[in-house]
Amino acid sequence: MAGVLPFRQHSFLCRVKSPSPPFAKGGEGGFRHSIAALSCLLLLSLLALAAVTQRPAQAQTPHDEAEAQAIDRMLMCPVCPGETIDQSQVELARQMRLRVREMLAQGAGRQQVLDFFVARYGVEILAAPPKSGFNLVAWIFPALAVPLALAGGLLALRAMRRRPAAELAPVPGPDVGLDPFLARVDQELTVAAPSDVPRTGSSADG
Amino acid sequence: MEFVVGAALAIFSAVVLAYPFLTARSGVESHAPVLDSPVPPPELASVYQAIRDLTWERQAGDLPEDLYQQQLDAYRRQAALLLRDAAVYSAVVGESDEALEQEVATELAARGGQTPQSSQDTVA
Amino acid sequence: MSQRTLILLAVALPVAALLGLLAWASVQQKGGPAGAGINRKFGGVRIQPGPARDFSLTLLDGRTLTLTELQGKVVLLDFWASWCPPCREEAATLAEVYGEYAGQPVEFVGVDIWDRQEDALAFVEQYGVTYPSGVDVKGSIAIDYGVKGIPEKFFIDRDGVVRRKFVGPMSADNLRAVLGELLNASPR
Amino acid sequence: MAEMGAIALWISLALSSYALLGSVLGQVRHSPPLVESARRATFLLPLVLLVATLSLVGAFISRDFSVAYVARHSSLAMPKIYTWVAFYAGNEGSLLFIAMVLAAMAALALWLAPAKVRDTLPWTTAALMLVLTFFLAVTAVMANPFAQLPLVPPDGDGINPLLTHVGMFFHPPALMTGLVAIAIPTSFAIGSMIGGKTRDEWADAGRVWGLVAWVLLACGLLLGSWWAYTILGWGGFWFWDPVENAALMPWLALTAFIHSIMVQKRRSMFRMWNIVLINVAFGLALYGMFMNRGGPVPSVHSFGASTLGWVFLLFLGVGVVVPFGIFFWRFPLLKSDRNLDSMLSREASFLMNNLLLLSIAFVTLWGTVYPLISRLFKGQEITVARPYYDQVNGPLMLALVFLMGVGPLLPWRRASLRGLRERLLLPVAASVTVLALLAVLGVREGYALLGFGLCALVAASILQECWRPTRVRRRATGEGYATAFLRLAWSNRPRYGGYLVHLAVVMMALGVLGGSFFHLQRDVLLAPGQSTELGNYRLLYLSTEEVQYSDRTEYVSTVEVYRNDRLLETLHPWRVSYPAAGMASTRAAIRSTPVEDLYVVPSENQAGGTVVMRILINPLVWWMWVAGPVVVMGTLVALWPQRQAVPSRQPLSVPPAAASINPARPRDVREAG
């Protein structure tokens, strides 16, 4: 029936080794196939392109300003819980942003600016804990936990695989008198889904 | 005024809640779920669904014919086994007579160390 | 151990630890999140004593004051703003206690932050503040002292070392106690 | 009005306690009337709570300031439309709201429960009622919205100005409803475990209600981002704030659950795993509620510290320990019927996706508790905010997007390597092409490149999965392409609904990538008549109009946007200052196109019409908001009831040959062995 045809074609597809132009394949199906693929590609590339067109424009912003904005996002505003000085509109945040720019203009580097504020406000001024000392714990946990979880998942999968697949293995229990029930299964499947009748042959019961 | 509405609400609730007890005492048929005639086991639906899935996947060209046939047969057999067990079970248990059901359960427990699934074994 | 016990332990231990931590943190928690930089309640803040950062402040009368000028005196550095209710609450007290220490090696400096010049002038007038005060326009003094809310006070001893930090409105008795302590600690 | 509400609240507390005790006792003592009576109580509850809700609404509308809650959250100046928002603006009202929606959803869930779970329904009822009783008890005893003031004030305090935004009409209710809706699939799981029906009986109800909670949370999160984007005035939409995380974590666990429950539905596998997942989601939801209501981590938009914290901590403990206790009690019954056929199968990819999602959830959880750990062991205050989460969760999310592209290509049971290679060909080609294109165009951020490449992979694989079976079906049936595709999708709704949601996720990913890697930002001080440039735009600031109201001053600015000296649009960003509340709120003016957003927001108004503006170009963020409706549509498609291949109900006759057989089911034999 219908299921056989596409199969051939796919094995043909498989022989196309390089991931190069999808329209290399012949046949009406392949052609349509590639149209769909192309349109998808086109859309995505256009979108990405749109994002990228901003790149040359970014050069218009002085380098220091981009850097200052990056630093703004690493410093919390001390008087408003949960906001960085980039986000906050209070006076103190404005003054801190100003100080960041002054320091950069005087030639300070990113780390120096951060250190300056840590010395005055404590580490909690940093939006993320520093990757040193005890605070490494904050960073190590995800780095350890995630591979462990994935490894655990793989182990669990292996354990689930160890026994032979139950449904394909002979089910314990006698098969006496199964035929009438098999017939009923076929009948119910036919009634439930007329269009997708599974083809069942007499070879089915064992 | 507000207290009247509140009281009315409380009385209405009480009546609705008391109704099942009243009907139960006066012998009117209770609304409690009754065990009706042998229900096909719930697993059956999922096996049928699996078969439809399988068919869909074969139609989509995901499955080689031999693998499809092999799995289809396995599923059909599983469904048939479920149907047969349900039929046999209901034949033995009869009209869901609780005493009989209990008897079968104990016998089974003695034989295989396993009780059949029923709402009764949850209470223990 | 069976699979069940293992899983049980793997779930129970972290959950117990988490619940314990949350309970501990809830006990610890004082007051709650600070509201937009206003310290309504009085309290001491533990600090590492260290040399005070120098600053220069343009006072309301136009003169310029630097911290080095005050070397040898016990200095109370008070951060305030005219719009802040607890600052208003303690303003008269501060002015009064300042008067008491006239003639002793004690100086108060009022640093007005996050505020406007004209409001500051009105405030000083209203509460009879006589000690040097000025507006920290760029906020550089506040940043140097790590001010997180107002009112906030720093006590600097006669050697120029920051000894104490307090938040919230301070009572006259508390003020006298701390000033006395610092005066006695390093008599010159 | 207030008395009636209070009475209704107490009646509902009595009803829910009765329903809880009644269903447990009725089940233990085999008393069908008691069980039935308890069931009726669950249907009465929404009705009684509706009375309570309406009386609070009535108190708001009639400006009854003798009710403390009304006085605190509304004022005479407040437009009546904001009653809806004021209702849940504080602890008391939001708890009543939660109780109301939980009661309504619980009644609906119990009413619609499939026959398969009927035997264990009383236990499910008990679990649901336990949750509801908790909320009602807290509302009635500790945070009663109907509490009266001894002296009636002439006017109320008014509503928090940040809440007067369209997003606030839907974002908090969606989040609260979503969080509490997780109780429903959890209760079905708990009910079936207590009742010993540990096969797949609960899988259908669990999936449906899991999806409902999931889509509600998704909408809540998106609307919250949109609100933050338009009103908070910093130009971003997500900050990994503790409150945002509180909703995100259960949503992640739910995402894992709605994938994994499909495996149980289709393949009778992952039984234990699904119960663990839904319990974890529920636990995380309770953790979120605890954090928002008096938790030890401050946040911009939490309800603030209160004594409720302890009660919610206790409830968190109970809500985690009890379900897991039941799980371990029923552990031996929860073995799956089937084994995994192959590591290279959809089942396996689902498990991996689950683990990734849970990893993100737990890393986020770790981030929220780390400050406490630092305080405990080092006595040092630490902030964990966006840069941390971006760094630790970013790679995980990319991995998730990758799985989203590959997972659907894997068939159930077992994939042949050859087949997989065939199916990966096109998506990988698409991905490589996009990558190459971007690299040629000069994109150098590794993350952004990888992200766009993975988006292409997912989009291409989804298109292929729509296209390939359509073609096959067309060949077989001779239908047109559209008909073939629609029939195909309709015959496998969970799958195609899922694809639609995946597409929406790709859109969101585009928004996130564009917004975080390619945005331009500038803060400028502008006097009227001055202009500034950003990107290809030139912005001319004309003027600011100042409007005084009794409680606020509104500053509406006019900015003309030019590109290549052509006027594109005139924008009106505005800012409102509330001197009494010491607050200000802004409304950004956004020129939004699929390519990029031009975002203008005034952050300070100075004398003489001078204004400090923040101007941003945020590429692709438009897609983020379009994704919302697509998520809802996809979920609706997936939820649309599937016509099951229902086993017929005709009596099962026993053929003579079979009558002599031992009725023990084969599976039982297997499990015993």
Side-chain angles (χ1 to χ4, degrees), chain D residues 209-229:
Chain D
W209 286 97
L211 267 172
V212 169
W214 181 87
V215 75
L216 283 167
L217 278 179
C219 289
L221 286 167
L222 266 174
L223 283 164
S225 306
W226 181 60
W227 168 79
Y229 187 56

Side-chain angles (χ1 to χ4, degrees), chain B residues 2 17 59 62 71 85 122, chain D residues 1 37 195 413 423 472 666:
Chain B
E2 298 188 5
L17 295 186
Q59 284 195 347
D62 287 356
Q71 297 193 341
D85 293 341
T122 64
Chain D
M1 293 303 256
S37 173
R413 291 168 295 270
R423 288 163 142 222
V472 175

Side-chain angles (χ1 to χ4, degrees), chain D residues 638-649:
Chain D
L639 267 179
W640 208 265
Q642 187 107 15
R643 187 172 50 106
Q644 292 257 351
V646 189
S648 63
R649 297 231 153 217

Side-chain angles (χ1 to χ4, degrees), chain A residues 7 161, chain B residues 57 61-64 67 71, chain D residues 267 340-349 406-424:
Chain A
F7 226 73
R161 238 180 89 51
Chain B
E57 276 173 20
D62 287 356
L63 271 179
L67 197 59
Q71 297 193 341
Chain D
R267 306 270 298 130
L340 191 70
D341 289 347
S342 161
M343 298 286 252
L344 207 59
S345 60
R346 184 166 304 171
E347 293 92 315
S349 83
V406 176
L409 299 179
L410 293 167
W412 294 102
R413 291 168 295 270
R414 184 194 301 275
S416 69
L417 264 180
R418 196 190 62 175
L420 185 64
R421 229 181 305 142
E422 281 173 18
R423 288 163 142 222
L424 270 176

Side-chain angles (χ1 to χ4, degrees), chain D residues 480-497:
Chain D
Y481 281 106
T483 326
F485 173 69
L486 287 177
R487 291 230 171 112
L488 180 83
W490 200 241
S491 73
N492 206 338
R493 290 193 279 287
R495 189 184 188 125
Y496 284 92

Side-chain angles (χ1 to χ4, degrees), chain D residues 452-470:
Chain D
F452 283 124
L454 288 175
C455 284
L457 179 80
V458 178
S461 86
I462 292 174
L463 282 186
Q464 175 180 273
E465 284 311 286
C466 291
W467 163 251
R468 214 173 32 86
T470 304

Side-chain angles (χ1 to χ4, degrees), chain C residues 34-35 37-42 84 86 148-152 166-169:
Chain C
I38 301 176
N39 299 318
R40 290 180 198 283
K41 272 202 190 138
F42 175 74
C84 129
K148 294 177 185 175
I150 39 177
E152 207 166 283
F166 294 96
V167 295

Side-chain angles (χ1 to χ4, degrees), chain A residues 54-138:
Chain A
Q54 295 308 321
R55 304 299 298 162
Q58 199 151 45
Q60 292 174 6
T61 329
H63 171 260
D64 269 4
E65 177 56 23
E67 176 70 5
Q69 285 174 5
I71 295 175
D72 287 350
R73 292 189 198 103
M74 296 175 159
L75 290 170
M76 302 304 288
C77 166
V79 299
C80 17
E83 283 189 294
T84 57
I85 58 171
D86 176 62
Q87 291 171 285
S88 177
Q89 289 152 29
V90 303
E91 185 78 8
L92 176 59
R94 201 179 58 80
Q95 291 169 345
M96 285 172 71
R97 287 199 295 263
L98 211 66
R99 177 57 78 88
V100 169
R101 279 151 187 78
E102 272 174 17
M103 289 185 73
L104 287 178
Q106 287 159 12
R110 178 183 292 200
Q111 197 53 48
Q112 276 170 289
V113 178
L114 294 180
D115 289 345
F116 172 87
F117 282 101
V118 168
R120 279 149 185 82
Y121 284 97
V123 236
E124 60 197 288
I125 194 87
L126 296 179
K131 287 176 189 154
S132 61
F134 180 79
N135 287 319
L136 272 175
V137 174

